[in-house]
Amino acid sequence: MRKKIPQSHLLFFLFCSIILMPEIPAAAEFTSDVSVEGRGFFHSPVYPEQRRNNGSLAVNAEFYHEFSSGSSFIVTPFFRLDSADDKRTHADVREANFLYLAESWEMRVGIGKVFWGATEFVHLVDIINQTDLVEALDGEEKLGQPMIHLSIPRDWGTVDGFILPWFRERTYAGKKGRLRFAVPVDTDKAKYESGSEENHLDFALRYSHTLRDMDVGLYHFLGTSRDPVLIPEQNGSGRIILIPYYEQIGQTGLDLQFVAGNWLWKGEAFYRSGMGRSFAATTFGFEYTIVGIAETAMDLGLISEYVFDDRDVGRSPIVYDHDVMLGLRLAVNDADSTELLLGLIRDLKMSSKIITLEASRRMGENVKVNLEGSFFVDISKKDPSYGLAEDDFVKLEVTYYF
Amino acid sequence: MRFFLLFFMCLLFCYPAGCFGESPEEKGLDIALEADLRDAGFMDFTADMLMVLRNKHGRESKREIRIRTFEVENDGDKSLLIFDTPRDVKGTAFLSFSHKVGDDDQWLYLPALKRVKRISSRNKSGSFMGSEFAYEDIASLEVEKYTYTFLREETYEGRDCFVNGSYPVDLKNSGYTRLVSWRDKDEYRLWKVEYYDRKNTHLKTLTFKDYEQYLGKYWRAADMEMVNHQNGKSTKLLWTNYQFKTGLTDRNFDKNSLKRAK
C-alpha cells in the first residue's frame, strides 16, 4: 500500500469546511468529464516486466457552490484506471476546500491546488503541490495538498501565507509501466529526514505584485522537499530498487513575467538548502508571437528557454540540468480551437534530445481530442532519463464533458 | 447688406469653437468625446454574453461568457471575462486593464493548471476565441486610441446619424487602417461600424440592434453582429442580464479574482 493522507485528516478538513459554511448549499453546481486514452509505444519494452502498450480511463468531477457572500465550496475528485500499470491506477482528491472571502483578505481551508511559475517547459519554483508524475512527465499534473491558505491583497502587492499540515508523496510509474526510470522506484518504502514523516508541518510565505509590464513573485518555503532524492537499495528479493527520500529544505524562489510588445520574457530561479550542499537552479526564456501568419487568422508563438540546475547530480540525478528548449505553438483560431505545440529539449552536456508534439481540437460542443507524442533521441547511457530511451510513444485521448 | 455679410463672415472665422468653424477632425473628436461622456459614470456593470460563431456553410458554434466591467477614473476600464462554455474551456478567465495611452495589460487564467499567464496585448488584430471579433474590437473603446474625422451626416435605418471616421493611433499593431461608424444624433448610440483592413479594403461590418437604456442613461445593444466580407463567416453577440452599479471594486479585478472565477 502506498502511504496516503490518513482518512482521519481528510475527515477533519471536510468537517472544518462544513462547519465554516454559512449555509448548506442548496443547488451546488456539478460538472464532470470522462476521458479514454490509448498509448502506443514504437519499440518493445527494455525491462521484461513492462507491458508494451496501455489503455486508460480517467474521470474528473467537480461539485461547486458559491454563496451570495462570494465565499465558495469546491470538491474535485479524480480517478484513473490503467490497463498496464497498477501504480497509474490511482485516485486523488484534487480539491476539497472552503474559500472564505472577506473584504480585505481571503482564506482557503482544505485540500487545494496552487501554481507558481512563469516558464513553459520546466516548472522549477512550483512547490506547494506534489507532482502526480504517473499522470504526465511534464510535471503539470498535481496532487491535492491539504492547506490553510491566507491571501491578503494590497495596493503594494499580495501576501500569501500557507500552513501545509500533511505531505503528499510523488507518484511514479510502477514496474509494469513504461516511462519510468531504468531502476523502478518503490514508493511503498519512502523515507523521511523528519521524524514526523508526512505529518511534518510545512510553511510558505509569498509576496507577488504587478508593476504595469511585469509580474513578479518571491517566496520562501520551509519544510519537506517535494522533490525526493532517489536512493538505490537492494530489496528482499535481491533486486536493486530506488527509494524516495524526502529531505527537509529551505527554498527561496523567484518568478518573473515581463511583457514588451510581442515579446514575453519569463524567468524562474530558486536557492535551496537542506542536507546536501546548497544549490541554485534557474530557467528563463521568451515567447514571441506572430499574429495572423500568412494573412490568416492563425497565430504562431516561438518559444525558447534554457534551464540550469546546479544540484549535486551524483547525489540526485535530474533530467534537466543544463538544457535548452525550443517550442512552436500554432493557434489556428478556428471555431474548434485547434492548437499545435511542437517542442524540442536538447541536453547541452550529453547528446540526449526529447521531441514532443501536442495537438488538440474540439469536436462538437462536448468532446475534445488530444494527440500527443514524445520521442527520445540519442539518449545517453549516463542520462538519468536513459530508462525512457526505448519509450517513444503516441497517445490519443478523447474527453467527453458532461 | 454687403457690410453685414462681411461682418458675419468675420464672426464666422473668428469664433473659435463655433460649429461652423470646426474642422472635420475637431467635429469627429467632439462626437467621440460626447459619446464617451454620455456613457461615463456607469461605475461598473455585469452581463451575460452568448457568442454564436457561424461559418460560411452555416455551421454554428457557441460560447457563453460572463462579463464584469469596472470604470477607472482617468484611465481605461478593467474587464473580467469568464467562460462557461464550450465545456473544455469552462472556468477560463480573461482579465484586461485597458489604458488610454500605451498597451493594455492582459492575463489569462487556465483553470486546469491554476495558472495565471501574462499575455501580450499587441495581438490586437488576433481573433478573440476563434470569432470574427479581434481583441481590439472587444477592448474598451477609449477615445484616445483613435484619431477622428467627421465624414458626413446620413440617415441610417430611419435615424439621423453622424458618420465618423476613426483611425487607430497604434497603426503598427492594429489590423485596420480605418473604421467608419454611424452614430445617431439623438443619443450617440452606435448602429454600424465598417472595418477597413491594412490594405484599406472593406473587411468587416458590425451592426447593432435592440438597444435598451439602463438607469435612465446607459444604452446597450442586446444584439451585435460582425460579418466578415472576406471569409464569409460571422459572429453574433447576444447580451442578457445587464446590471449596472452592482458595487464591484478593484478587488473583483485583481489576479486573485481570476483564480476565484468559476
Side-chain angles (χ1 to χ4, degrees):
Chain A
M1 268 302 287
R2 243 185 31 241
K3 280 181 192 160
K4 296 202 174 104
I5 306 176
Q7 280 204 329
S8 57
H9 293 160
L10 279 177
L11 286 174
F12 171 74
F13 264 111
L14 283 175
F15 177 72
C16 285
S17 305
I18 288 162
I19 54 166
L20 282 166
M21 263 195 290
E23 52 179 291
I24 298 298
E29 198 181 303
F30 175 73
T31 52
S32 62
D33 61 76
V34 174
S35 48
V36 180
E37 162 198 298
R39 277 198 308 204
F41 289 80
F42 291 90
H43 316 290
S44 318
V46 177
Y47 311 101
E49 61 282 17
Q50 283 181 313
R51 302 266 183 87
R52 181 164 180 153
N53 301 320
N54 71 305
S56 187
L57 179 89
V59 182
N60 275 296
E62 179 184 298
F63 302 88
Y64 174 78
H65 181 74
E66 189 175 316
F67 305 99
S68 52
S69 62
S71 297
S72 62
F73 181 73
I74 189 165
V75 182
T76 58
F78 163 80
F79 174 68
R80 177 177 296 282
L81 188 68
D82 192 84
S83 70
D85 185 355
D86 54 358
K87 292 288 182 191
R88 204 160 179 257
T89 295
H90 68 302
D92 185 40
V93 178
R94 296 292 200 222
E95 284 178 277
N97 63 62
F98 175 72
L99 171 76
Y100 179 76
L101 189 65
E103 195 131 315
S104 55
W105 53 274
E106 61 189 74
M107 187 188 272
R108 211 177 269 276
V109 180
I111 299 167
K113 202 162 127 180
V114 171
F115 177 85
W116 297 340
T119 52
E120 298 301 311
F121 281 93
V122 181
H123 306 297
L124 281 181
V125 301
D126 191 27
I127 194 163
I128 295 294
N129 290 77
Q130 180 59 276
T131 303
D132 195 357
L133 199 61
V134 281
E135 274 301 297
L137 285 180
D138 62 11
E140 289 185 349
E141 297 296 328
K142 295 287 174 179
L143 297 171
Q145 169 66 46
M147 64 175 72
I148 297 168
H149 171 195
L150 175 70
S151 185
I152 307 168
R154 290 286 180 273
D155 292 339
W156 41 265
T158 303
V159 176
D160 288 284
F162 294 82
I163 301 173
L164 309 163
W166 293 288
F167 176 76
R168 305 293 311 276
E169 288 173 8
R170 182 166 292 187
T171 61
Y172 290 94
K175 290 199 296 283
K176 292 181 188 169
R178 302 200 61 163
L179 302 170
R180 66 158 164 92
F181 292 103
V183 179
V185 178
D186 190 345
T187 49
D188 298 343
K189 295 202 166 66
K191 286 180 184 165
Y192 290 85
E193 179 186 348
S194 163
S196 40
E197 302 198 323
E198 69 265 57
N199 289 317
H200 186 273
L201 204 56
D202 299 345
F203 298 95
L205 190 68
R206 177 177 157 96
Y207 167 78
S208 58
H209 196 36
T210 298
L211 299 150
R212 188 92 195 235
D213 294 331
M214 183 156 73
D215 295 81
V216 58
L218 181 69
Y219 74 84
H220 189 73
F221 170 88
L222 204 61
T224 314
S225 175
R226 273 54 186 151
D227 201 6
V229 177
L230 297 171
I231 303 171
E233 239 177 57
Q234 218 165 21
N235 70 2
S237 48
R239 278 193 56 172
I240 301 287
I241 49 162
L242 292 173
I243 296 205
Y245 180 70
Y246 294 96
E247 296 177 17
Q248 288 298 306
I249 60 161
Q251 177 168 312
T252 306
L254 173 76
D255 57 87
L256 286 168
Q257 298 183 71
F258 180 76
V259 57
N262 283 322
W263 296 85
L264 278 170
W265 295 91
K266 305 163 186 201
E268 296 183 15
F270 72 69
Y271 181 78
R272 187 186 292 178
S273 47
M275 275 185 83
R277 78 168 161 86
S278 299
F279 69 95
T282 182
T283 178
F284 51 84
F286 67 81
E287 179 165 355
Y288 179 81
T289 307
I290 306 167
V291 180
I293 49 161
E295 296 187 19
T296 63
M298 293 192 268
D299 299 338
L300 186 67
L302 312 172
I303 305 162
S304 177
E305 288 177 4
Y306 167 74
V307 61
F308 177 72
D309 197 314
D310 189 34
R311 79 183 70 190
D312 178 359
V313 288
R315 193 164 169 273
S316 49
I318 47 153
V319 175
Y320 305 125
D321 57 339
H322 185 42
D323 293 55
V324 69
M325 295 87 166
L326 299 171
L328 280 178
R329 190 203 311 271
L330 181 75
V332 177
N333 282 326
D334 57 348
D336 301 316
S337 306
T338 307
E339 279 190 3
L340 266 169
L341 181 65
L342 187 67
L344 169 71
I345 301 170
R346 170 87 164 87
D347 194 310
L348 295 173
K349 276 192 197 152
M350 297 178 234
S351 58
S352 316
K353 289 174 268 298
I354 304 174
I355 297 163
T356 59
L357 173 78
E358 283 176 51
S360 66
R361 74 173 298 188
R362 187 168 38 245
M363 296 184 80
E365 301 285 316
N366 293 310
V367 177
K368 180 108 180 172
V369 179
N370 280 294
L371 184 69
E372 242 180 86
S374 286
F375 304 90
F376 306 92
V377 186
D378 301 333
I379 304 290
S380 159
K381 279 210 163 155
K382 287 178 279 175
D383 198 308
S385 62
Y386 185 64
L388 306 173
E390 297 295 310
D391 283 354
D392 297 349
F393 73 93
V394 173
K395 171 179 125 176
L396 179 70
E397 183 188 50
V398 179
T399 307
Y400 187 88
Y401 294 87
F402 292 95
Chain B
M1 190 63 193
R2 189 175 289 170
F3 173 75
F4 183 72
L5 205 77
L6 202 71
F7 175 76
F8 190 65
M9 279 176 74
C10 276
L11 200 72
L12 240 174
F13 283 109
C14 298
Y15 190 56
C19 54
F20 293 106
E22 251 186 347
S23 68
E25 288 77 18
E26 283 167 339
K27 185 164 183 187
L29 179 62
D30 280 349
I31 293 165
L33 285 170
E34 178 64 22
D36 191 57
L37 188 68
R38 286 182 185 223
D39 200 51
F42 65 81
M43 293 167 78
D44 67 74
F45 74 81
T46 63
D48 296 335
M49 181 172 100
L50 173 67
M51 185 183 249
V52 185
L53 280 58
R54 186 197 279 266
N55 72 9
K56 61 184 164 204
H57 310 294
R59 201 192 125 207
E60 286 187 354
S61 173
K62 291 182 179 124
R63 286 120 175 69
E64 286 169 283
I65 303 164
R66 278 170 290 145
I67 294 179
R68 297 168 189 170
T69 295
F70 183 69
E71 195 179 26
V72 179
E73 249 178 84
N74 302 318
D75 204 355
D77 298 339
K78 295 184 177 182
S79 299
L80 178 65
L81 278 65
I82 306 162
F83 293 89
D84 289 330
T85 67
R87 283 279 293 104
D88 60 293
V89 295
K90 185 182 185 332
T92 302
F94 174 73
L95 178 67
S96 156
F97 296 177
S98 64
H99 298 295
K100 288 181 185 290
V101 181
D103 292 339
D104 294 350
D105 300 324
Q106 294 174 347
W107 295 266
L108 191 67
Y109 176 64
L110 306 168
L113 305 178
K114 305 273 169 198
R115 179 172 184 179
V116 177
K117 267 177 99 162
R118 183 77 182 229
I119 56 174
S120 167
S121 63
R122 287 277 174 89
N123 59 349
K124 281 177 185 160
S125 59
S127 160
F128 179 74
M129 287 296 287
S131 75
E132 294 316 305
F133 285 84
Y135 279 90
E136 63 188 311
D137 308 334
I138 58 154
S140 113
L141 289 173
E142 303 304 325
V143 173
E144 290 82 353
K145 294 197 170 182
Y146 300 88
T147 59
Y148 303 88
T149 300
F150 170 71
L151 300 173
R152 60 188 180 270
E153 290 177 6
E154 196 175 277
T155 308
Y156 174 75
E157 295 193 338
R159 285 180 192 84
D160 284 340
C161 286
F162 296 116
V163 184
N164 214 0
S166 326
Y167 309 85
V169 172
D170 184 11
L171 260 180
K172 198 169 150 255
N173 296 297
S174 173
Y176 314 122
T177 45
R178 64 191 173 104
L179 277 61
V180 179
S181 54
W182 279 254
R183 269 184 202 280
D184 68 71
K185 288 177 168 179
D186 295 337
E187 298 288 348
Y188 284 73
R189 290 168 299 199
L190 270 177
W191 291 95
K192 186 165 93 161
V193 182
E194 289 176 353
Y195 297 82
Y196 291 83
D197 68 12
R198 284 175 183 151
K199 291 180 202 134
N200 203 17
T201 45
H202 189 186
L203 175 65
K204 304 187 289 194
T205 303
L206 174 62
T207 49
F208 299 75
K209 271 187 227 157
D210 304 336
Y211 267 103
E212 259 185 74
Q213 197 176 27
Y214 298 87
L215 304 184
K217 182 171 180 189
Y218 309 106
W219 289 98
R220 291 290 183 275
D223 182 324
M224 295 158 69
E225 186 172 30
M226 182 75 91
V227 177
N228 186 319
H229 306 293
Q230 294 180 8
N231 65 15
K233 296 182 191 173
S234 68
T235 301
K236 224 179 207 306
L237 305 182
L238 301 167
W239 298 82
T240 51
N241 206 12
Y242 260 115
Q243 288 177 353
F244 284 78
K245 296 187 178 168
T246 63
L248 295 177
T249 65
D250 264 321
R251 270 207 69 200
N252 296 97
F253 299 89
D254 63 13
K255 285 203 274 170
N256 273 4
S257 74
L258 274 173
K259 296 174 203 165
R260 285 197 307 268
K262 267 288 169 188

